[in-house]
mmCIF file with all atom_site columns, all heavy atoms in Angstrom:
data_model
loop_
_atom_site.group_PDB
_atom_site.id
_atom_site.type_symbol
_atom_site.label_atom_id
_atom_site.label_alt_id
_atom_site.label_comp_id
_atom_site.label_asym_id
_atom_site.label_entity_id
_atom_site.label_seq_id
_atom_site.pdbx_PDB_ins_code
_atom_site.Cartn_x
_atom_site.Cartn_y
_atom_site.Cartn_z
_atom_site.occupancy
_atom_site.B_iso_or_equiv
_atom_site.pdbx_formal_charge
_atom_site.auth_seq_id
_atom_site.auth_comp_id
_atom_site.auth_asym_id
_atom_site.auth_atom_id
_atom_site.pdbx_PDB_model_num
ATOM 1   N N   . VAL A 1 1  ? -4.953 -17.524 25.570 1.00 0.00 ? 220 VAL A N   1
ATOM 2   C CA  . VAL A 1 1  ? -3.518 -17.796 25.703 1.00 0.00 ? 220 VAL A CA  1
ATOM 3   C C   . VAL A 1 1  ? -3.093 -18.877 24.705 1.00 0.00 ? 220 VAL A C   1
ATOM 4   O O   . VAL A 1 1  ? -2.066 -18.756 24.035 1.00 0.00 ? 220 VAL A O   1
ATOM 5   C CB  . VAL A 1 1  ? -3.180 -18.227 27.142 1.00 0.00 ? 220 VAL A CB  1
ATOM 6   C CG1 . VAL A 1 1  ? -1.732 -18.661 27.251 1.00 0.00 ? 220 VAL A CG1 1
ATOM 7   C CG2 . VAL A 1 1  ? -3.469 -17.094 28.128 1.00 0.00 ? 220 VAL A CG2 1
ATOM 8   N N   . ILE A 1 2  ? -3.894 -19.934 24.612 1.00 0.00 ? 221 ILE A N   1
ATOM 9   C CA  . ILE A 1 2  ? -3.555 -21.053 23.723 1.00 0.00 ? 221 ILE A CA  1
ATOM 10  C C   . ILE A 1 2  ? -3.509 -20.601 22.266 1.00 0.00 ? 221 ILE A C   1
ATOM 11  O O   . ILE A 1 2  ? -2.546 -20.888 21.544 1.00 0.00 ? 221 ILE A O   1
ATOM 12  C CB  . ILE A 1 2  ? -4.574 -22.196 23.909 1.00 0.00 ? 221 ILE A CB  1
ATOM 13  C CG1 . ILE A 1 2  ? -4.419 -22.822 25.310 1.00 0.00 ? 221 ILE A CG1 1
ATOM 14  C CG2 . ILE A 1 2  ? -4.390 -23.263 22.829 1.00 0.00 ? 221 ILE A CG2 1
ATOM 15  C CD1 . ILE A 1 2  ? -5.516 -23.799 25.665 1.00 0.00 ? 221 ILE A CD1 1
ATOM 16  N N   . TRP A 1 3  ? -4.537 -19.868 21.835 1.00 0.00 ? 222 TRP A N   1
ATOM 17  C CA  . TRP A 1 3  ? -4.587 -19.436 20.435 1.00 0.00 ? 222 TRP A CA  1
ATOM 18  C C   . TRP A 1 3  ? -3.502 -18.413 20.130 1.00 0.00 ? 222 TRP A C   1
ATOM 19  O O   . TRP A 1 3  ? -2.931 -18.416 19.018 1.00 0.00 ? 222 TRP A O   1
ATOM 20  C CB  . TRP A 1 3  ? -5.961 -18.855 20.103 1.00 0.00 ? 222 TRP A CB  1
ATOM 21  C CG  . TRP A 1 3  ? -7.004 -19.906 19.900 1.00 0.00 ? 222 TRP A CG  1
ATOM 22  C CD1 . TRP A 1 3  ? -8.104 -20.151 20.667 1.00 0.00 ? 222 TRP A CD1 1
ATOM 23  C CD2 . TRP A 1 3  ? -7.043 -20.886 18.852 1.00 0.00 ? 222 TRP A CD2 1
ATOM 24  N NE1 . TRP A 1 3  ? -8.815 -21.222 20.179 1.00 0.00 ? 222 TRP A NE1 1
ATOM 25  C CE2 . TRP A 1 3  ? -8.194 -21.688 19.063 1.00 0.00 ? 222 TRP A CE2 1
ATOM 26  C CE3 . TRP A 1 3  ? -6.209 -21.166 17.765 1.00 0.00 ? 222 TRP A CE3 1
ATOM 27  C CZ2 . TRP A 1 3  ? -8.522 -22.741 18.214 1.00 0.00 ? 222 TRP A CZ2 1
ATOM 28  C CZ3 . TRP A 1 3  ? -6.550 -22.224 16.923 1.00 0.00 ? 222 TRP A CZ3 1
ATOM 29  C CH2 . TRP A 1 3  ? -7.697 -22.991 17.159 1.00 0.00 ? 222 TRP A CH2 1
ATOM 30  N N   . ALA A 1 4  ? -3.209 -17.539 21.105 1.00 0.00 ? 223 ALA A N   1
ATOM 31  C CA  . ALA A 1 4  ? -2.129 -16.563 20.899 1.00 0.00 ? 223 ALA A CA  1
ATOM 32  C C   . ALA A 1 4  ? -0.790 -17.277 20.734 1.00 0.00 ? 223 ALA A C   1
ATOM 33  O O   . ALA A 1 4  ? 0.001  -16.945 19.847 1.00 0.00 ? 223 ALA A O   1
ATOM 34  C CB  . ALA A 1 4  ? -2.075 -15.590 22.075 1.00 0.00 ? 223 ALA A CB  1
ATOM 35  N N   . ALA A 1 5  ? -0.543 -18.273 21.583 1.00 0.00 ? 224 ALA A N   1
ATOM 36  C CA  . ALA A 1 5  ? 0.718  -19.028 21.498 1.00 0.00 ? 224 ALA A CA  1
ATOM 37  C C   . ALA A 1 5  ? 0.816  -19.762 20.168 1.00 0.00 ? 224 ALA A C   1
ATOM 38  O O   . ALA A 1 5  ? 1.886  -19.779 19.531 1.00 0.00 ? 224 ALA A O   1
ATOM 39  C CB  . ALA A 1 5  ? 0.816  -20.009 22.662 1.00 0.00 ? 224 ALA A CB  1
ATOM 40  N N   . LEU A 1 6  ? -0.281 -20.365 19.702 1.00 0.00 ? 225 LEU A N   1
ATOM 41  C CA  . LEU A 1 6  ? -0.262 -21.088 18.424 1.00 0.00 ? 225 LEU A CA  1
ATOM 42  C C   . LEU A 1 6  ? -0.029 -20.136 17.250 1.00 0.00 ? 225 LEU A C   1
ATOM 43  O O   . LEU A 1 6  ? 0.753  -20.430 16.340 1.00 0.00 ? 225 LEU A O   1
ATOM 44  C CB  . LEU A 1 6  ? -1.585 -21.834 18.230 1.00 0.00 ? 225 LEU A CB  1
ATOM 45  C CG  . LEU A 1 6  ? -1.802 -23.095 19.073 1.00 0.00 ? 225 LEU A CG  1
ATOM 46  C CD1 . LEU A 1 6  ? -3.215 -23.626 18.893 1.00 0.00 ? 225 LEU A CD1 1
ATOM 47  C CD2 . LEU A 1 6  ? -0.779 -24.169 18.696 1.00 0.00 ? 225 LEU A CD2 1
ATOM 48  N N   . ALA A 1 7  ? -0.704 -18.978 17.278 1.00 0.00 ? 226 ALA A N   1
ATOM 49  C CA  . ALA A 1 7  ? -0.581 -18.029 16.174 1.00 0.00 ? 226 ALA A CA  1
ATOM 50  C C   . ALA A 1 7  ? 0.845  -17.514 16.053 1.00 0.00 ? 226 ALA A C   1
ATOM 51  O O   . ALA A 1 7  ? 1.411  -17.448 14.952 1.00 0.00 ? 226 ALA A O   1
ATOM 52  C CB  . ALA A 1 7  ? -1.545 -16.860 16.385 1.00 0.00 ? 226 ALA A CB  1
ATOM 53  N N   . PHE A 1 8  ? 1.449  -17.189 17.194 1.00 0.00 ? 227 PHE A N   1
ATOM 54  C CA  . PHE A 1 8  ? 2.780  -16.602 17.121 1.00 0.00 ? 227 PHE A CA  1
ATOM 55  C C   . PHE A 1 8  ? 3.869  -17.655 16.989 1.00 0.00 ? 227 PHE A C   1
ATOM 56  O O   . PHE A 1 8  ? 4.989  -17.341 16.593 1.00 0.00 ? 227 PHE A O   1
ATOM 57  C CB  . PHE A 1 8  ? 2.994  -15.680 18.308 1.00 0.00 ? 227 PHE A CB  1
ATOM 58  C CG  . PHE A 1 8  ? 2.043  -14.514 18.263 1.00 0.00 ? 227 PHE A CG  1
ATOM 59  C CD1 . PHE A 1 8  ? 1.104  -14.316 19.256 1.00 0.00 ? 227 PHE A CD1 1
ATOM 60  C CD2 . PHE A 1 8  ? 2.058  -13.652 17.186 1.00 0.00 ? 227 PHE A CD2 1
ATOM 61  C CE1 . PHE A 1 8  ? 0.202  -13.266 19.184 1.00 0.00 ? 227 PHE A CE1 1
ATOM 62  C CE2 . PHE A 1 8  ? 1.169  -12.594 17.105 1.00 0.00 ? 227 PHE A CE2 1
ATOM 63  C CZ  . PHE A 1 8  ? 0.234  -12.395 18.109 1.00 0.00 ? 227 PHE A CZ  1
ATOM 64  N N   . ALA A 1 9  ? 3.546  -18.898 17.297 1.00 0.00 ? 228 ALA A N   1
ATOM 65  C CA  . ALA A 1 9  ? 4.469  -19.981 16.969 1.00 0.00 ? 228 ALA A CA  1
ATOM 66  C C   . ALA A 1 9  ? 4.587  -20.096 15.451 1.00 0.00 ? 228 ALA A C   1
ATOM 67  O O   . ALA A 1 9  ? 5.681  -20.347 14.911 1.00 0.00 ? 228 ALA A O   1
ATOM 68  C CB  . ALA A 1 9  ? 3.979  -21.295 17.568 1.00 0.00 ? 228 ALA A CB  1
ATOM 69  N N   . ALA A 1 10 ? 3.471  -19.888 14.754 1.00 0.00 ? 229 ALA A N   1
ATOM 70  C CA  . ALA A 1 10 ? 3.497  -19.915 13.285 1.00 0.00 ? 229 ALA A CA  1
ATOM 71  C C   . ALA A 1 10 ? 4.346  -18.766 12.739 1.00 0.00 ? 229 ALA A C   1
ATOM 72  O O   . ALA A 1 10 ? 5.103  -18.938 11.776 1.00 0.00 ? 229 ALA A O   1
ATOM 73  C CB  . ALA A 1 10 ? 2.071  -19.832 12.740 1.00 0.00 ? 229 ALA A CB  1
ATOM 74  N N   . ILE A 1 11 ? 4.237  -17.581 13.365 1.00 0.00 ? 230 ILE A N   1
ATOM 75  C CA  . ILE A 1 11 ? 5.046  -16.440 12.934 1.00 0.00 ? 230 ILE A CA  1
ATOM 76  C C   . ILE A 1 11 ? 6.527  -16.722 13.151 1.00 0.00 ? 230 ILE A C   1
ATOM 77  O O   . ILE A 1 11 ? 7.382  -16.372 12.325 1.00 0.00 ? 230 ILE A O   1
ATOM 78  C CB  . ILE A 1 11 ? 4.617  -15.163 13.693 1.00 0.00 ? 230 ILE A CB  1
ATOM 79  C CG1 . ILE A 1 11 ? 3.197  -14.755 13.273 1.00 0.00 ? 230 ILE A CG1 1
ATOM 80  C CG2 . ILE A 1 11 ? 5.591  -14.014 13.429 1.00 0.00 ? 230 ILE A CG2 1
ATOM 81  C CD1 . ILE A 1 11 ? 2.642  -13.579 14.035 1.00 0.00 ? 230 ILE A CD1 1
ATOM 82  N N   . GLN A 1 12 ? 6.838  -17.386 14.262 1.00 0.00 ? 231 GLN A N   1
ATOM 83  C CA  . GLN A 1 12 ? 8.236  -17.722 14.532 1.00 0.00 ? 231 GLN A CA  1
ATOM 84  C C   . GLN A 1 12 ? 8.781  -18.716 13.507 1.00 0.00 ? 231 GLN A C   1
ATOM 85  O O   . GLN A 1 12 ? 9.943  -18.634 13.104 1.00 0.00 ? 231 GLN A O   1
ATOM 86  C CB  . GLN A 1 12 ? 8.370  -18.297 15.945 1.00 0.00 ? 231 GLN A CB  1
ATOM 87  C CG  . GLN A 1 12 ? 8.266  -17.224 17.013 1.00 0.00 ? 231 GLN A CG  1
ATOM 88  C CD  . GLN A 1 12 ? 8.129  -17.816 18.392 1.00 0.00 ? 231 GLN A CD  1
ATOM 89  O OE1 . GLN A 1 12 ? 7.213  -17.509 19.130 1.00 0.00 ? 231 GLN A OE1 1
ATOM 90  N NE2 . GLN A 1 12 ? 9.038  -18.693 18.747 1.00 0.00 ? 231 GLN A NE2 1
ATOM 91  N N   . LEU A 1 13 ? 7.940  -19.659 13.084 1.00 0.00 ? 232 LEU A N   1
ATOM 92  C CA  . LEU A 1 13 ? 8.372  -20.588 12.029 1.00 0.00 ? 232 LEU A CA  1
ATOM 93  C C   . LEU A 1 13 ? 8.712  -19.820 10.753 1.00 0.00 ? 232 LEU A C   1
ATOM 94  O O   . LEU A 1 13 ? 9.693  -20.126 10.067 1.00 0.00 ? 232 LEU A O   1
ATOM 95  C CB  . LEU A 1 13 ? 7.271  -21.613 11.760 1.00 0.00 ? 232 LEU A CB  1
ATOM 96  C CG  . LEU A 1 13 ? 7.124  -22.747 12.775 1.00 0.00 ? 232 LEU A CG  1
ATOM 97  C CD1 . LEU A 1 13 ? 5.915  -23.608 12.425 1.00 0.00 ? 232 LEU A CD1 1
ATOM 98  C CD2 . LEU A 1 13 ? 8.385  -23.609 12.811 1.00 0.00 ? 232 LEU A CD2 1
ATOM 99  N N   . LEU A 1 14 ? 7.893  -18.807 10.446 1.00 0.00 ? 233 LEU A N   1
ATOM 100 C CA  . LEU A 1 14 ? 8.160  -17.968 9.269  1.00 0.00 ? 233 LEU A CA  1
ATOM 101 C C   . LEU A 1 14 ? 9.484  -17.223 9.442  1.00 0.00 ? 233 LEU A C   1
ATOM 102 O O   . LEU A 1 14 ? 10.278 -17.126 8.507  1.00 0.00 ? 233 LEU A O   1
ATOM 103 C CB  . LEU A 1 14 ? 7.009  -16.979 9.081  1.00 0.00 ? 233 LEU A CB  1
ATOM 104 C CG  . LEU A 1 14 ? 7.159  -15.972 7.930  1.00 0.00 ? 233 LEU A CG  1
ATOM 105 C CD1 . LEU A 1 14 ? 7.234  -16.700 6.598  1.00 0.00 ? 233 LEU A CD1 1
ATOM 106 C CD2 . LEU A 1 14 ? 5.999  -14.976 7.939  1.00 0.00 ? 233 LEU A CD2 1
ATOM 107 N N   . GLY A 1 15 ? 9.712  -16.706 10.661 1.00 0.00 ? 234 GLY A N   1
ATOM 108 C CA  . GLY A 1 15 ? 10.970 -16.008 10.928 1.00 0.00 ? 234 GLY A CA  1
ATOM 109 C C   . GLY A 1 15 ? 12.173 -16.917 10.766 1.00 0.00 ? 234 GLY A C   1
ATOM 110 O O   . GLY A 1 15 ? 13.194 -16.518 10.180 1.00 0.00 ? 234 GLY A O   1
ATOM 111 N N   . MET A 1 16 ? 12.077 -18.148 11.270 1.00 0.00 ? 235 MET A N   1
ATOM 112 C CA  . MET A 1 16 ? 13.180 -19.102 11.125 1.00 0.00 ? 235 MET A CA  1
ATOM 113 C C   . MET A 1 16 ? 13.415 -19.452 9.662  1.00 0.00 ? 235 MET A C   1
ATOM 114 O O   . MET A 1 16 ? 14.558 -19.577 9.209  1.00 0.00 ? 235 MET A O   1
ATOM 115 C CB  . MET A 1 16 ? 12.888 -20.375 11.942 1.00 0.00 ? 235 MET A CB  1
ATOM 116 C CG  . MET A 1 16 ? 13.043 -20.197 13.443 1.00 0.00 ? 235 MET A CG  1
ATOM 117 S SD  . MET A 1 16 ? 12.899 -21.744 14.369 1.00 0.00 ? 235 MET A SD  1
ATOM 118 C CE  . MET A 1 16 ? 11.130 -22.003 14.340 1.00 0.00 ? 235 MET A CE  1
ATOM 119 N N   . LEU A 1 17 ? 12.336 -19.608 8.888  1.00 0.00 ? 236 LEU A N   1
ATOM 120 C CA  . LEU A 1 17 ? 12.456 -19.930 7.466  1.00 0.00 ? 236 LEU A CA  1
ATOM 121 C C   . LEU A 1 17 ? 13.169 -18.802 6.718  1.00 0.00 ? 236 LEU A C   1
ATOM 122 O O   . LEU A 1 17 ? 14.084 -19.053 5.916  1.00 0.00 ? 236 LEU A O   1
ATOM 123 C CB  . LEU A 1 17 ? 11.064 -20.173 6.878  1.00 0.00 ? 236 LEU A CB  1
ATOM 124 C CG  . LEU A 1 17 ? 11.002 -20.441 5.366  1.00 0.00 ? 236 LEU A CG  1
ATOM 125 C CD1 . LEU A 1 17 ? 11.763 -21.716 5.030  1.00 0.00 ? 236 LEU A CD1 1
ATOM 126 C CD2 . LEU A 1 17 ? 9.547  -20.547 4.909  1.00 0.00 ? 236 LEU A CD2 1
ATOM 127 N N   . CYS A 1 18 ? 12.759 -17.548 6.993  1.00 0.00 ? 237 CYS A N   1
ATOM 128 C CA  . CYS A 1 18 ? 13.384 -16.402 6.321  1.00 0.00 ? 237 CYS A CA  1
ATOM 129 C C   . CYS A 1 18 ? 14.869 -16.305 6.664  1.00 0.00 ? 237 CYS A C   1
ATOM 130 O O   . CYS A 1 18 ? 15.700 -16.039 5.791  1.00 0.00 ? 237 CYS A O   1
ATOM 131 C CB  . CYS A 1 18 ? 12.673 -15.112 6.728  1.00 0.00 ? 237 CYS A CB  1
ATOM 132 S SG  . CYS A 1 18 ? 10.985 -14.980 6.097  1.00 0.00 ? 237 CYS A SG  1
ATOM 133 N N   . ALA A 1 19 ? 15.189 -16.513 7.948  1.00 0.00 ? 238 ALA A N   1
ATOM 134 C CA  . ALA A 1 19 ? 16.595 -16.449 8.367  1.00 0.00 ? 238 ALA A CA  1
ATOM 135 C C   . ALA A 1 19 ? 17.416 -17.548 7.698  1.00 0.00 ? 238 ALA A C   1
ATOM 136 O O   . ALA A 1 19 ? 18.562 -17.327 7.288  1.00 0.00 ? 238 ALA A O   1
ATOM 137 C CB  . ALA A 1 19 ? 16.693 -16.562 9.877  1.00 0.00 ? 238 ALA A CB  1
ATOM 138 N N   . CYS A 1 20 ? 16.836 -18.741 7.575  1.00 0.00 ? 239 CYS A N   1
ATOM 139 C CA  . CYS A 1 20 ? 17.542 -19.854 6.924  1.00 0.00 ? 239 CYS A CA  1
ATOM 140 C C   . CYS A 1 20 ? 17.786 -19.553 5.443  1.00 0.00 ? 239 CYS A C   1
ATOM 141 O O   . CYS A 1 20 ? 18.841 -19.889 4.891  1.00 0.00 ? 239 CYS A O   1
ATOM 142 C CB  . CYS A 1 20 ? 16.745 -21.143 7.082  1.00 0.00 ? 239 CYS A CB  1
ATOM 143 S SG  . CYS A 1 20 ? 16.764 -21.818 8.761  1.00 0.00 ? 239 CYS A SG  1
ATOM 144 N N   . ILE A 1 21 ? 16.814 -18.897 4.782  1.00 0.00 ? 240 ILE A N   1
ATOM 145 C CA  . ILE A 1 21 ? 16.983 -18.533 3.369  1.00 0.00 ? 240 ILE A CA  1
ATOM 146 C C   . ILE A 1 21 ? 18.140 -17.558 3.207  1.00 0.00 ? 240 ILE A C   1
ATOM 147 O O   . ILE A 1 21 ? 18.987 -17.697 2.316  1.00 0.00 ? 240 ILE A O   1
ATOM 148 C CB  . ILE A 1 21 ? 15.672 -17.915 2.812  1.00 0.00 ? 240 ILE A CB  1
ATOM 149 C CG1 . ILE A 1 21 ? 14.589 -18.993 2.712  1.00 0.00 ? 240 ILE A CG1 1
ATOM 150 C CG2 . ILE A 1 21 ? 15.915 -17.262 1.448  1.00 0.00 ? 240 ILE A CG2 1
ATOM 151 C CD1 . ILE A 1 21 ? 13.220 -18.461 2.353  1.00 0.00 ? 240 ILE A CD1 1
ATOM 152 N N   . VAL A 1 22 ? 18.193 -16.545 4.100  1.00 0.00 ? 241 VAL A N   1
ATOM 153 C CA  . VAL A 1 22 ? 19.291 -15.574 4.045  1.00 0.00 ? 241 VAL A CA  1
ATOM 154 C C   . VAL A 1 22 ? 20.624 -16.269 4.305  1.00 0.00 ? 241 VAL A C   1
ATOM 155 O O   . VAL A 1 22 ? 21.628 -15.989 3.654  1.00 0.00 ? 241 VAL A O   1
ATOM 156 C CB  . VAL A 1 22 ? 19.059 -14.436 5.068  1.00 0.00 ? 241 VAL A CB  1
ATOM 157 C CG1 . VAL A 1 22 ? 20.256 -13.496 5.097  1.00 0.00 ? 241 VAL A CG1 1
ATOM 158 C CG2 . VAL A 1 22 ? 17.797 -13.669 4.722  1.00 0.00 ? 241 VAL A CG2 1
ATOM 159 N N   . LEU A 1 23 ? 20.638 -17.207 5.260  1.00 0.00 ? 242 LEU A N   1
ATOM 160 C CA  . LEU A 1 23 ? 21.868 -17.953 5.561  1.00 0.00 ? 242 LEU A CA  1
ATOM 161 C C   . LEU A 1 23 ? 22.336 -18.754 4.350  1.00 0.00 ? 242 LEU A C   1
ATOM 162 O O   . LEU A 1 23 ? 23.533 -18.773 4.024  1.00 0.00 ? 242 LEU A O   1
ATOM 163 C CB  . LEU A 1 23 ? 21.630 -18.891 6.748  1.00 0.00 ? 242 LEU A CB  1
ATOM 164 C CG  . LEU A 1 23 ? 21.908 -18.339 8.149  1.00 0.00 ? 242 LEU A CG  1
ATOM 165 C CD1 . LEU A 1 23 ? 21.484 -19.346 9.211  1.00 0.00 ? 242 LEU A CD1 1
ATOM 166 C CD2 . LEU A 1 23 ? 23.388 -17.999 8.311  1.00 0.00 ? 242 LEU A CD2 1
ATOM 167 N N   . CYS A 1 24 ? 21.404 -19.420 3.687  1.00 0.00 ? 243 CYS A N   1
ATOM 168 C CA  . CYS A 1 24 ? 21.758 -20.229 2.513  1.00 0.00 ? 243 CYS A CA  1
ATOM 169 C C   . CYS A 1 24 ? 22.281 -19.349 1.382  1.00 0.00 ? 243 CYS A C   1
ATOM 170 O O   . CYS A 1 24 ? 23.263 -19.683 0.712  1.00 0.00 ? 243 CYS A O   1
ATOM 171 C CB  . CYS A 1 24 ? 20.549 -21.024 2.031  1.00 0.00 ? 243 CYS A CB  1
ATOM 172 S SG  . CYS A 1 24 ? 20.033 -22.321 3.178  1.00 0.00 ? 243 CYS A SG  1
ATOM 173 N N   . ARG A 1 25 ? 21.648 -18.194 1.186  1.00 0.00 ? 244 ARG A N   1
ATOM 174 C CA  . ARG A 1 25 ? 22.098 -17.278 0.135  1.00 0.00 ? 244 ARG A CA  1
ATOM 175 C C   . ARG A 1 25 ? 23.490 -16.744 0.454  1.00 0.00 ? 244 ARG A C   1
ATOM 176 O O   . ARG A 1 25 ? 24.341 -16.609 -0.420 1.00 0.00 ? 244 ARG A O   1
ATOM 177 C CB  . ARG A 1 25 ? 21.111 -16.120 0.010  1.00 0.00 ? 244 ARG A CB  1
ATOM 178 C CG  . ARG A 1 25 ? 21.392 -15.197 -1.172 1.00 0.00 ? 244 ARG A CG  1
ATOM 179 C CD  . ARG A 1 25 ? 20.494 -13.988 -1.164 1.00 0.00 ? 244 ARG A CD  1
ATOM 180 N NE  . ARG A 1 25 ? 20.821 -13.124 -0.034 1.00 0.00 ? 244 ARG A NE  1
ATOM 181 C CZ  . ARG A 1 25 ? 20.171 -11.985 0.233  1.00 0.00 ? 244 ARG A CZ  1
ATOM 182 N NH1 . ARG A 1 25 ? 19.147 -11.626 -0.512 1.00 0.00 ? 244 ARG A NH1 1
ATOM 183 N NH2 . ARG A 1 25 ? 20.522 -11.245 1.272  1.00 0.00 ? 244 ARG A NH2 1
ATOM 184 N N   . ARG A 1 26 ? 23.701 -16.461 1.749  1.00 0.00 ? 245 ARG A N   1
ATOM 185 C CA  . ARG A 1 26 ? 25.008 -15.941 2.178  1.00 0.00 ? 245 ARG A CA  1
ATOM 186 C C   . ARG A 1 26 ? 26.106 -16.979 1.955  1.00 0.00 ? 245 ARG A C   1
ATOM 187 O O   . ARG A 1 26 ? 27.212 -16.652 1.553  1.00 0.00 ? 245 ARG A O   1
ATOM 188 C CB  . ARG A 1 26 ? 24.943 -15.582 3.666  1.00 0.00 ? 245 ARG A CB  1
ATOM 189 C CG  . ARG A 1 26 ? 26.194 -14.902 4.196  1.00 0.00 ? 245 ARG A CG  1
ATOM 190 C CD  . ARG A 1 26 ? 26.242 -13.455 3.763  1.00 0.00 ? 245 ARG A CD  1
ATOM 191 N NE  . ARG A 1 26 ? 27.442 -12.805 4.287  1.00 0.00 ? 245 ARG A NE  1
ATOM 192 C CZ  . ARG A 1 26 ? 28.588 -12.682 3.652  1.00 0.00 ? 245 ARG A CZ  1
ATOM 193 N NH1 . ARG A 1 26 ? 28.724 -13.197 2.440  1.00 0.00 ? 245 ARG A NH1 1
ATOM 194 N NH2 . ARG A 1 26 ? 29.608 -12.052 4.187  1.00 0.00 ? 245 ARG A NH2 1
ATOM 195 N N   . SER A 1 27 ? 25.793 -18.259 2.188  1.00 0.00 ? 246 SER A N   1
ATOM 196 C CA  . SER A 1 27 ? 26.803 -19.315 2.030  1.00 0.00 ? 246 SER A CA  1
ATOM 197 C C   . SER A 1 27 ? 27.139 -19.554 0.562  1.00 0.00 ? 246 SER A C   1
ATOM 198 O O   . SER A 1 27 ? 28.212 -20.057 0.250  1.00 0.00 ? 246 SER A O   1
ATOM 199 C CB  . SER A 1 27 ? 26.312 -20.613 2.675  1.00 0.00 ? 246 SER A CB  1
ATOM 200 O OG  . SER A 1 27 ? 25.156 -21.097 2.008  1.00 0.00 ? 246 SER A OG  1
ATOM 201 N N   . ARG A 1 28 ? 26.229 -19.184 -0.359 1.00 0.00 ? 247 ARG A N   1
ATOM 202 C CA  . ARG A 1 28 ? 26.487 -19.379 -1.798 1.00 0.00 ? 247 ARG A CA  1
ATOM 203 C C   . ARG A 1 28 ? 27.203 -18.198 -2.435 1.00 0.00 ? 247 ARG A C   1
ATOM 204 O O   . ARG A 1 28 ? 27.618 -18.269 -3.587 1.00 0.00 ? 247 ARG A O   1
ATOM 205 C CB  . ARG A 1 28 ? 25.172 -19.635 -2.540 1.00 0.00 ? 247 ARG A CB  1
ATOM 206 C CG  . ARG A 1 28 ? 24.554 -21.004 -2.275 1.00 0.00 ? 247 ARG A CG  1
ATOM 207 C CD  . ARG A 1 28 ? 23.545 -21.333 -3.357 1.00 0.00 ? 247 ARG A CD  1
ATOM 208 N NE  . ARG A 1 28 ? 22.486 -20.340 -3.421 1.00 0.00 ? 247 ARG A NE  1
ATOM 209 C CZ  . ARG A 1 28 ? 21.340 -20.424 -2.758 1.00 0.00 ? 247 ARG A CZ  1
ATOM 210 N NH1 . ARG A 1 28 ? 21.115 -21.462 -1.957 1.00 0.00 ? 247 ARG A NH1 1
ATOM 211 N NH2 . ARG A 1 28 ? 20.416 -19.489 -2.875 1.00 0.00 ? 247 ARG A NH2 1
#
């Protein structure tokens, strides 16, 4: 459970980063 939560927390960070990049591009 611990390792699964840590691994997918990393995936979520990647998802947030990608969404922020799209948001920044959209604002420009």
Side-chain angles (χ1 to χ4, degrees):
V220 174
I221 292 171
W222 283 114
L225 286 173
F227 296 117
I230 293 176
Q231 285 169 234
L232 283 175
L233 177 62
M235 286 187 284
L236 176 63
C237 292
C239 288
I240 291 172
V241 175
L242 270 174
C243 292
R244 187 187 68 181
R245 186 76 180 94
S246 64
R247 288 198 301 268

